[in-house]
Amino acid sequence: MTSRVSASALGSLASRIIRADVLESSSHAGALGPLLGARGLAGGAWGVVPLHAVGRSESGSRAAAKLRARGLVPGVVHSFQGSSSGSDDDRVLLAFEKKAVSTLHQRIGSYGFACQVFDIHVVGDGDELPGAGPERDVSATYRVLGRQIHITASSAEPENVTFIELCPDRKVRVEVPLKTFGRETCPGIRAGGRVNWIRRTVPCLVDTAEADGVPASFEVDISGLDVNDKVLWTELALPVGVEVLLKDRRQPVLKMARK
């Protein structure tokens, strides 16, 4: 479930960056109780998204080309030895239906994918096509975080996809996209100004043992900004278990500039 958390609810003194969309990534969600409110995504609600895949044993460019010719996208789950999934290797080779990966990318984009939590259900091997159905036996399930979708420049089709397994004793690094709200009442916008972003994303370290979810985005309140005003990283209200990986948080997130 995607949720929006206020800075006051988190006990923060931040005045401008006051909301975070949180993607539930573990069974201990609900610590914030009724403070969480859901938001929808085209075609379904935000949350842990199920994906079906088939296993594969061959790697390399030739094997990948054969998969793409069959309408599949090669994928990798970077795992950990002794993880909860039972994997003894540091990566799991999989293949996904191209249509499913393309639809996913169109809906949440590359930034959204890198902050999205998935349950990958492995339902066969490379001789089959992945897909849900009552007759399909799930041989393994991985709770993962999206890492990257590689898109071909010529056809805009997915080339390959990578994930990282979420483990309760591991911290994961994510690039959380930044958004704005409050433009309708922003004095700087009304005066003809524009938002000048210093960064579009913020690097974060998420402790999956403590955090209630992986932030899908941070929303910056610009409703009170006038021309030449700025918002600093120190005003960022962080959920529990989330740390911003910036050397100097006194730098500005954005400025309200003249056009």
Side-chain angles (χ1 to χ4, degrees):
M1 180 176 67
T2 297
S3 307
R4 192 165 286 171
V5 184
S6 70
S8 58
L10 292 171
S12 171
L13 297 177
S15 60
R16 286 177 178 153
I17 304 182
I18 67 168
R19 301 195 295 196
D21 286 337
V22 179
L23 294 178
E24 178 183 322
S25 65
S26 61
S27 60
H28 52 265
L32 297 179
L35 298 177
L36 300 182
R39 187 180 74 169
L41 172 68
W46 281 87
V48 179
V49 175
L51 281 177
H52 291 82
V54 293
R56 60 187 176 97
S57 57
E58 295 182 345
S59 60
S61 58
R62 290 187 179 181
K66 290 180 181 179
L67 288 173
R68 296 186 188 103
R70 296 172 50 211
L72 299 175
V73 176
V76 175
V77 172
H78 293 283
S79 185
F80 303 99
Q81 292 187 359
S83 65
S84 59
S85 65
S87 173
D88 293 325
D89 197 0
D90 61 351
R91 66 174 188 165
V92 180
L93 302 178
L94 300 171
F96 302 84
E97 282 187 308
K98 182 173 70 173
K99 182 178 179 181
V101 177
S102 296
T103 301
L104 181 67
H105 183 257
Q106 291 171 4
R107 288 180 176 178
I108 66 177
S110 297
Y111 286 139
F113 177 81
C115 296
Q116 176 67 54
V117 178
F118 301 90
D119 273 345
I120 297 180
H121 304 292
V122 183
V123 294
D125 56 35
D127 294 329
E128 305 177 67
L129 290 177
E135 72 285 354
R136 308 301 295 271
D137 293 328
V138 176
S139 60
T141 297
Y142 300 93
R143 174 64 58 87
V144 301
L145 180 70
R147 179 54 72 199
Q148 190 171 18
I149 297 181
H150 296 268
I151 304 295
T152 58
S154 57
S155 62
E157 293 184 344
E159 187 83 2
N160 55 66
V161 59
T162 57
F163 304 87
I164 184 169
E165 187 175 17
L166 287 175
C167 298
D169 59 342
R170 303 273 182 170
K171 295 182 179 180
V172 293
R173 187 185 188 278
V174 294
E175 287 282 341
V176 181
L178 295 164
K179 302 177 182 179
T180 62
F181 70 99
R183 297 179 67 91
E184 298 81 2
T185 58
C186 175
I189 297 293
R190 289 184 171 183
R194 61 179 178 84
V195 174
N196 180 24
W197 287 98
I198 308 303
R199 290 186 64 125
R200 286 287 187 173
T201 63
V202 52
C204 292
L205 192 66
V206 180
D207 188 339
T208 56
E210 295 184 6
D212 290 294
V214 177
S217 66
F218 290 118
E219 295 188 328
V220 184
D221 184 3
I222 63 171
S223 60
L225 293 187
D226 208 336
V227 175
N228 295 326
D229 284 348
K230 58 186 177 182
V231 179
L232 305 179
W233 289 106
T234 51
E235 298 177 89
L236 183 63
L238 295 175
V240 175
V242 179
E243 174 188 355
V244 171
L245 298 177
L246 292 173
K247 293 182 179 180
D248 188 0
R249 291 187 59 189
R250 295 171 298 178
Q251 296 297 315
V253 179
L254 59 81
K255 297 179 181 179
M256 184 61 62
R258 297 184 183 276
K259 282 189 176 180

